[in-house]
Amino acid sequence: MGGAPQRPAKIRIQGLNKVFPAENGDFRALSGVDLHLGDGEFVSLLGPSGCGKSTLLRLIAGLESITSGSLEVDGRSLDGPPAGLGMVFQRDVLLDWRSILDNVLLPVEFAGGRRDDYVTRARDLLVQYGLAGFEDRHPWQLSGGMRQRAAICRALILDPSFLIMDEPFGALDALTRDELNIELQRLWQTTRKSVLFVTHSIAEAVFLSDRVVVMATRPGRIVETIAIDLPRPRDLAIRETASFGRYSAHIRDLFERHGVLRTKPS
Amino acid sequence: MIAGRAPGLLRRIFRANQVVVVIVGFLVVWQVAGTIFKAPPYLLPLPSAILAELAARPKIYAINGAYTLYNTLIAFALSTVIGVGMAIAIVYSKFLEKTLYTFLVALNSVPKVALAPIFVLWLGTGDASKIGIAFFIAIFAIVVDAVLGLRSVDPEMLDLARTLRGGELKVLLKIRFPNALPSIFAGMKVAVSLALVGVIVGEFVVSKQGLGHVILVSQGVFDTTAMFGAIFVLAFLGTVLFYGIELLERRLLPWHVSHRSQRASTGH
């Protein structure tokens, strides 16, 4: 890992393979993956559709089991979802029949906690994420950006030490996406949770991350891990700077070399 | 245009009482056509004669209607409770899905009315056989729709629930079941009409009272007006049952897609 400072490991993955058995030959989703996520680190997985980044997330979340190799979260191998994990998906998957406040409190009910102990925290989170006054509304009465903010509040209600975000802003318009990127950076800087973030967007990955893990397809694998050495907090204007551009260009170049991206007009 | 208001008002009245307006309209057409073409009363009595018959012997229709309604409601309640229970078992057990569910789907293609005389053999000539037939006819709609509803949960929602580590019972109670309610209500609306059909079929086979009994006895003496009187009461019961469940659905599931526009337009 070169000169990267070694922090206690949140996730340690070595020689991981994931094969999905199929009738017409097994499908190799991930091959020889090594990945390290330090405690409090923000790492993005960046790659095209089908590169296995979602599969990798599902393995780390304990939703699937690995075929071979090793995967440890907090120093333990998994036999199910680990404790202290918050998840955010591309779609907010809020429950239509619950108010926004009750949606945010859902993890409390699943964890067997007392709802009353968390109502204040839930309301505070909703205020922080610009949803004050929407506590008693239902999901369908909110815009896509507001719904995704509510989903983030839900992921945070039990104060997890570890966040997994699977293309959380992929379905949002560009302006809302920028706004939520800023909010996520602020959340990360104030709480220092470990974050594993999946995205299609080079700019989003470089903007948010300590390190960007670039993946390619067939089989799904990691081609390079790039440390993003840009000062924090970063504002949106950093995307127009030369150093930001160098990181983006380098990643785009990687994609072209691995046949992921064809930029030459034909 | 004389006034934009009058058609708007008419449209509003029509929308609010759509069922009543349509039914009254139908009866008026029937009355007028029957009078013009001089339909023989022993074949097709006029609505006015049928209503007069109902007014003349209200007690007969009330007592027999109540009896039919009572059996219908029992059969409907049983099919809903047992049907939803079976659906939950089917959704959670691969074995039951392959056996019980497959069997139910196959059985559903049998014309169930044909089994009515057998229910009389099994359950006797009293209420039990009517309730049995009605239950048997109605339960399929509940099971099929409930299974559909319980299954059609967003896979990502289930993933989220698994990472919350709450156990399958919480997933059922907090996610699957509420998610299935719109589908279960759709099944209940079909089932309540089918339960009424089942009870009448049971009464046709053998009975001492009930609206089916009134229809059969009146047919025996060529009292067509009384037959239509019983049919009017049946139509009324069926409509009330259907809209009763729809009303319950609106009360319980205001969040469901099909009810949102109304709510939005009434303002909240």
Side-chain angles (χ1 to χ4, degrees), chain A residues 58 81 83 91 93 97 109, chain B residues 154 159 165 170 174 255:
Chain A
R58 293 178 59 79
R91 287 177 304 123
V93 287
W97 53 90
E109 294 171 27
Chain B
D154 194 324
D159 284 346
R165 314 200 309 166
K170 278 185 178 152
K174 292 183 190 296
W255 49 270

Side-chain angles (χ1 to χ4, degrees), chain B residues 62-134:
Chain B
I63 289 170
N64 287 291
Y67 177 79
T68 299
L69 177 66
Y70 177 73
N71 281 344
T72 302
L73 286 176
I74 290 179
F76 171 66
L78 280 175
S79 65
T80 301
V81 172
I82 295 173
V84 170
M86 279 166 88
I88 290 171
I90 286 165
V91 166
Y92 277 96
S93 158
K94 268 266 173 300
F95 175 75
L96 286 179
E97 187 196 333
K98 281 182 182 152
T99 54
L100 179 63
Y101 193 54
T102 310
F103 178 66
L104 281 176
V105 170
L107 203 61
N108 194 26
S109 53
V110 175
K112 289 169 286 291
V113 172
L115 294 171
I118 297 177
F119 274 90
V120 175
L121 275 184
W122 289 343
L123 298 172
T125 57
D127 294 357
S129 60
K130 282 96 190 154
I131 294 169
I133 296 159

